[in-house]
Every structure is written in structure tokens, then in C-alpha cells.
Amino acid sequence: MPITNEQVTEYGFLRQLYADSYFPDHVLDKGSAILVRLCERVEAERPADLAALYALTHAATDAFNLLEADFEAAGSGIETVAREAIAEDFAFVAAAYGFTGADVEELIATREW
């Protein structure tokens, strides 16, 4: 399902991390895909409230948890800069779909990084 939200289609997920050679592009591509799939799910499922949105973001966060091994295998990791960039992108997604009151920490509450 193609994303219809113009804010999202014009946004570059993990842009800050792509600019840093410490983070391997092939792993960042997987992270970007997770965020795109999150947007697709938000558009398809149209969560009615924050609880429903958090269920979707927690599933996406769980997928990021699995990426930690890929980062480590490439000599990288989800450390402070990456944590902040990923959290910012989750907050962007929430705001882009009208959930301006979403708590960033709750969006990524299931994180292990």
C-alpha cells in the first residue's frame, strides 16, 4: 500500500544516521523500511486513539530491537545518536498522522536499545 501522507512521502527517515559513516547504509535501509511499514500500517488501520497508535509503534520498535544484531555484525550499534534519531522519527510519524500529544518514550517503550 503506497503511503498517501505527503509529509511522510517527502521525509527522509534516519537522514541524520545516513550522513554518518559509523552507521552502515544496508542496516539503515532496514530501519527505514520499518518506519515506512509503520506508516503504511497507520494509514491502513487508522488508529482511533493513542493506545492503538502505541500498539503499532511498539511492534515497529520490536523490529528495531532485532536490528541491533545487524548493527553489531557491521561494527556499529544503536547508541546515543541512533537512539535519538530513531525516537525523533517515531515522533515525526505520530505527529504526521495527527497524534501530536503522543509521548515519545511511550512510542518506543518496548525498545531494548
Side-chain angles (χ1 to χ4, degrees):
M1 168 184 189
I3 295 172
T4 60
N5 182 309
E6 192 173 316
Q7 279 182 284
V8 174
T9 60
E10 294 176 358
Y11 188 79
F13 287 115
L14 306 178
R15 177 181 38 232
Q16 176 184 354
L17 302 182
Y18 278 106
D20 186 334
S21 63
Y22 175 71
F23 303 104
D25 286 357
H26 72 280
V27 180
L28 294 177
D29 291 345
K30 292 178 183 182
S32 292
I34 291 167
L35 291 163
V36 167
R37 282 192 305 274
L38 171 60
C39 294
E40 291 169 345
R41 286 192 67 190
V42 169
E43 290 192 13
E45 298 180 27
R46 302 196 184 280
D49 55 22
L50 282 173
L53 175 68
Y54 292 149
L56 298 179
T57 63
H58 292 171
T61 302
D62 293 344
F64 265 100
N65 290 341
L66 297 176
L67 274 187
E68 181 66 28
D70 290 355
F71 276 104
E72 289 176 4
S76 183
I78 301 179
E79 41 70 64
T80 305
V81 171
R83 283 192 294 270
E84 293 298 318
I86 294 166
E88 286 173 16
D89 282 353
F90 272 88
F92 165 79
V93 169
Y97 289 101
F99 293 95
T100 55
D103 178 282
V104 176
E105 289 302 316
E106 183 57 35
L107 290 170
I108 56 173
T110 60
R111 72 180 173 163
E112 296 172 357
W113 28 271

Coordinates of all heavy atoms in Angstrom, one line a residue, residues 75 98 100 104 107:
G75 N 29.8 -3.8 12.9 CA 30.7 -3.0 13.6 C 30.1 -1.7 14.1 O 30.8 -0.7 14.3
G98 N -1.4 13.1 13.0 CA -2.3 13.9 13.9 C -2.2 13.5 15.4 O -3.0 14.0 16.2
T100 N -0.3 14.5 17.9 CA 0.7 15.5 18.4 C 0.9 15.3 19.9 O 1.9 15.8 20.4 CB 0.2 16.9 18.1 OG1 -1.1 17.1 18.6 CG2 0.3 17.2 16.6
V104 N 6.9 10.4 23.3 CA 7.9 9.8 22.6 C 8.4 8.5 23.3 O 8.6 7.5 22.7 CB 9.1 10.8 22.3 CG1 10.3 10.0 21.6 CG2 8.7 11.9 21.5
L107 N 6.0 5.8 22.7 CA 6.0 5.3 21.3 C 7.0 4.2 21.2 O 6.8 3.3 20.4 CB 6.4 6.5 20.4 CG 5.4 7.6 20.1 CD1 6.0 8.7 19.4 CD2 4.1 7.0 19.4

